[in-house]
Amino acid sequence: MSLLVVGSVALDSIKTPFGKREDVLGGSATYLALAASYFTPVNLVSVVGHDFPGSYLEFFRKRNINLEGLTISKNNRTFRWQGYYEDDLNEAHTIRTELNVFENFKPEIPKEYQSCDYLFLANVDPDIQSEVLHQVKGVKFVVCDTIGYWIDKKPESLKKVLAKVDAFMVNESELREFTHESNLLKGAKKVMELGPGIVVVKRGDSGATMFMTNSIFSLPAYPLEAVLDPTGAGDSFGGGFIGYICQEDSTEEKILRKAMVYGSAIASFSVGGFGTEGLKDLEFERIEKRHHEFEELTDF
Ligand code: AMP
């Protein structure tokens, strides 16, 4: 089974109450692809600039992430995001978003990726997400993610994307912002009217909830004492979710529920380190162990 991930690859500057890092590897597609790579090979489509360190390319290759669809622009700088967190680690404060290479990016999906089985449209300009949807054929399952930045700037473009995807993954506060609905169930139903039959709401350290037409599945977050940097938690969750679905090659509800558990397990490793450090050299046995711990946590 093949998985295509499209989204941002970035250089992030992050400050949390526990430290800070400058220009480290980040981006929605980065976290997505790294997390998914523990379940399945990943084909990545994105763009970086001339300033993107070769060591990060090497890191992707080592994790079985295919970079044929990664454009390296000679004339522009890599996308940059700068943000900080205060004591409430669920809320990221953005200081600066530099689109750089993404300003005029027209994705070209390599021919062999166009017939992918599973597609994750990670957080990026919804017009880029639409362009990708035009170029792929016969995909079995498409998930789309976004953030407040695009909800503010391009709500109509986002609605066009939602009309064509199977699942929408979004943060709790962003669902409220997008739907103007404070009740999550009502908000999820409003999104479903736009197209997707599944809405997965990420709720930070409160866990995640999956709304489907006839059912709801809710999971706590893995209880952790040491969260160093929550950047990428949502994208890592998305990567574990789609990675497991692709590995099992099924979108039956019981697989989707397990995919939520794997997503939560891998997100819990991601937030234990700065940037992508928590997703480096993770043995699959540790992910499995956390999956079992979730079974105990929710057994009644
Ligand atoms: P998350 O913490 O899971 O919401 O995602 C954090 C990642 O999103 C960071 O690594 C950023 O580089 C990336 N990011 C932030 N703003 C944007 C944006 N406007 N478009 C695409 N990616 C972004």
Side-chain angles (χ1 to χ4, degrees):
M1 291 307 111
S2 61
L3 171 63
L4 174 60
V5 171
V6 183
S8 62
V9 172
L11 294 175
D12 285 349
S13 295
I14 309 159
K15 190 166 171 240
T16 82
F18 310 102
K20 61 180 195 178
R21 298 287 188 281
E22 284 206 1
D23 281 351
V24 291
L25 178 62
S28 58
T30 295
Y31 286 101
L32 231 309
L34 288 172
S37 73
Y38 286 93
F39 301 88
T40 180
V42 181
N43 295 328
L44 175 69
V45 167
S46 191
V47 58
V48 293
H50 52 76
D51 53 351
F52 191 72
S55 58
Y56 291 158
L57 298 176
E58 213 31 57
F59 177 37
F60 281 131
R61 288 193 192 100
K62 276 205 184 120
R63 287 264 8 112
N64 217 353
I65 297 169
N66 191 335
L67 299 182
E68 205 188 314
L70 181 72
T71 304
I72 301 180
S73 161
K74 289 200 181 75
N75 317 315
N76 210 336
R77 275 155 51 90
T78 302
F79 172 89
R80 276 173 170 72
W81 178 76
Q82 186 182 2
Y84 69 95
Y85 303 83
E86 293 177 319
D87 286 342
D88 178 3
L89 293 173
N90 288 325
E91 200 188 343
H93 303 275
T94 294
I95 299 171
R96 191 166 49 100
T97 301
E98 269 183 41
L99 293 180
N100 297 334
V101 282
F102 275 102
E103 229 146 333
N104 299 307
F105 179 55
K106 293 267 168 306
E108 271 184 44
I109 310 297
K111 218 171 177 45
E112 60 280 24
Y113 296 2
Q114 288 174 10
S115 51
C116 59
D117 298 298
Y118 295 90
L119 169 63
F120 201 111
L121 299 168
N123 161 33
V124 77
D125 186 333
D127 290 332
I128 294 178
Q129 295 177 322
S130 268
E131 184 52 43
V132 172
L133 286 169
H134 278 131
Q135 292 180 40
V136 293
K137 294 172 220 79
V139 188
K140 293 182 187 174
F141 190 68
V142 185
V143 187
C144 152
D145 196 337
T146 197
I147 57 164
Y149 184 89
W150 301 114
I151 293 172
D152 278 358
K153 288 201 164 29
K154 298 195 172 183
E156 293 313 312
S157 298
L158 178 61
K159 283 181 191 163
K160 279 189 201 145
V161 176
L162 289 179
K164 295 185 191 149
V165 304
D166 301 287
F168 183 43
M169 201 171 261
V170 68
N171 278 350
E172 180 172 13
S173 60
E174 286 152 357
L175 178 71
R176 292 199 170 103
E177 187 187 338
F178 181 53
T179 58
H180 305 287
E181 186 57 74
S182 60
N183 180 288
L184 292 185
L185 178 56
K186 284 187 181 169
K189 283 185 176 169
K190 273 194 176 173
V191 171
M192 285 179 184
E193 281 164 18
L194 298 171
I198 301 167
V199 178
V200 178
V201 184
K202 298 175 287 185
R203 304 169 55 221
D205 61 9
S206 300
T209 303
M210 176 167 65
F211 296 92
M212 302 177 79
T213 323
N214 295 313
S215 68
I216 299 176
F217 177 66
S218 217
L219 203 62
Y222 184 80
L224 276 179
E225 278 190 35
V227 174
L228 292 184
D229 172 18
T231 311
D235 301 314
S236 305
F237 173 89
F241 180 81
I242 197 71
Y244 180 70
I245 290 170
C246 183
Q247 178 196 289
E248 295 301 308
D249 189 21
S250 166
T251 53
E252 269 178 58
E253 185 170 341
K254 70 172 196 300
I255 297 295
L256 297 181
R257 287 178 175 228
K258 264 181 165 286
M260 295 269 293
V261 180
Y262 278 110
S264 306
I266 205 142
S268 72
F269 288 110
S270 180
V271 301
F274 265 89
T276 56
E277 278 163 24
L279 296 178
K280 228 181 201 171
D281 308 326
L282 208 55
E283 297 88 32
F284 193 71
E285 295 72 56
R286 290 177 66 204
I287 301 173
E288 277 298 353
K289 186 165 176 281
R290 222 155 252 198
H291 181 267
H292 290 309
E293 284 168 341
F294 264 104
E295 283 174 349
E296 281 165 25
L297 195 64
T298 53
D299 188 28
F300 62 90

